[in-house]
Amino acid sequence: MKEQQSETPLLIAYEGPLGGMSWPINNKLTIGRDSRCNIVIDDRQVSRWHAEIKINDQQEIFVNDLESKNGTYVNGVLIDSGKELHDGDEVKIALIQRFVFVSSDATIPLEKFPLQEKRGTKEKKLLIDLNARRIWIGDKELSPPLSVSQYYLLQLLYKNEGTVVGREEIIDAVWGKEVAIGVTDQAIDALVRRLRYRLKKTDPTHEYIVTVRGVGFMFENASYER
């Protein structure tokens, strides 16, 4: 007699500290830094109770952000309310852990979402020679050089990779405390846009500067070699 295939939906970690692990979704999964969560991510980017995945009465599966500090993303889009999950959707917790949702453990799409151990080693995409103030993306040096304000912003984000940098920190690093009162949010946003544009001209495949709504900005500098 042929064994019946399971139809249990799964959440699979495929990039980040939990890469390779998976959890069946039978009712509800809580995700966060607190040890009482079903999925514990021990990283300060993650809120104590960050998100939950829950099956409703109609057997639909939703992910909800629990007012986390650094956000929950579905397919790269920050959510602020419940979002229904469909087979193959990516769920990202802050910028530290990626999951894929699959509707059945009989059809896990491993070729589409390779587990972390199959993806090789993490590689920095952008490098800065802090002494010479020279910047490389891959094997290509950024040219022409950044403006002074763009360089100071990139240096600040680069040194704090993986950590949210607030607007006050940016003002101190780029403009200095003595002129902080005159620097508007619009000026900061314009500087971030110009820096993003310069980086994208050299590497259009990667988003280096991520906006964390209501908090600041984070530098994401890693890719994975196969």
Side-chain angles (χ1 to χ4, degrees), residues 5-217:
Q5 289 184 314
S6 170
E7 296 299 325
T8 303
L10 290 175
L11 192 69
I12 303 172
Y14 74 95
E15 187 175 295
L18 304 181
M21 300 177 67
S22 64
W23 297 263
I25 305 171
N26 296 310
N27 182 23
K28 182 174 74 171
L29 288 176
T30 52
I31 305 170
R33 201 173 72 250
D34 194 284
S35 61
R36 291 169 293 177
C37 291
N38 301 116
I39 302 175
V40 178
I41 307 173
D42 187 15
D43 190 283
R44 63 194 182 96
Q45 294 182 41
V46 179
S47 298
R48 293 180 65 84
W49 297 89
H50 195 107
E52 69 174 13
I53 295 176
K54 190 173 183 179
I55 303 176
N56 65 16
D57 293 339
Q58 290 73 44
Q59 298 303 300
E60 300 163 325
I61 299 178
F62 280 77
V63 58
N64 298 284
D65 184 78
L66 300 178
E67 299 183 351
S68 66
K69 180 180 179 181
N70 290 326
T72 302
Y73 301 77
V74 176
N75 299 327
V77 178
L78 183 69
I79 64 170
D80 55 11
S81 59
K83 175 71 174 177
E84 186 177 1
L85 293 177
H86 301 281
D87 196 39
D89 280 350
E90 180 196 75
V91 177
K92 184 165 64 173
I93 300 298
L95 296 176
I96 189 68
Q97 180 63 61
R98 298 174 191 265
F99 300 91
V100 59
F101 167 75
V102 291
S103 58
S104 166
D105 61 7
T107 57
I108 299 173
L110 295 180
E111 71 285 350
K112 184 177 179 182
F113 295 94
L115 300 184
Q116 186 171 356
E117 59 266 25
K118 292 189 176 184
R119 291 173 66 88
T121 57
K122 190 160 68 171
E123 178 190 29
K124 302 293 185 185
K125 294 174 70 67
L126 184 148
L127 294 172
I128 300 180
D129 183 336
L130 295 172
N131 293 320
R133 295 191 175 185
R134 298 172 67 184
I135 301 161
W136 284 267
I137 296 179
D139 58 358
K140 183 182 295 186
E141 185 172 0
L142 196 66
S143 181
L146 297 175
S147 69
V148 173
S149 57
Q150 289 170 3
Y151 177 80
Y152 284 151
L153 173 59
L154 180 61
Q155 179 180 257
L156 173 67
L157 296 172
Y158 181 85
K159 287 181 176 180
N160 292 277
E161 180 187 350
T163 301
V164 178
V165 176
R167 291 174 179 268
E168 290 185 4
E169 294 177 78
I170 291 173
I171 292 172
D172 290 347
V174 176
W175 287 276
K177 292 183 178 180
E178 59 276 5
V179 297
I181 296 177
V183 179
T184 64
D185 285 346
Q186 290 79 8
I188 296 171
D189 292 338
L191 177 59
V192 171
R193 283 197 300 271
R194 292 195 297 271
L195 179 55
R196 278 181 173 144
Y197 175 76
R198 286 298 315 276
L199 298 179
K200 271 194 176 298
K201 285 189 70 175
T202 302
D203 181 9
T205 67
H206 186 72
E207 191 69 49
Y208 290 92
I209 303 172
V210 178
T211 300
V212 181
R213 186 178 56 187
V215 183
F217 303 92

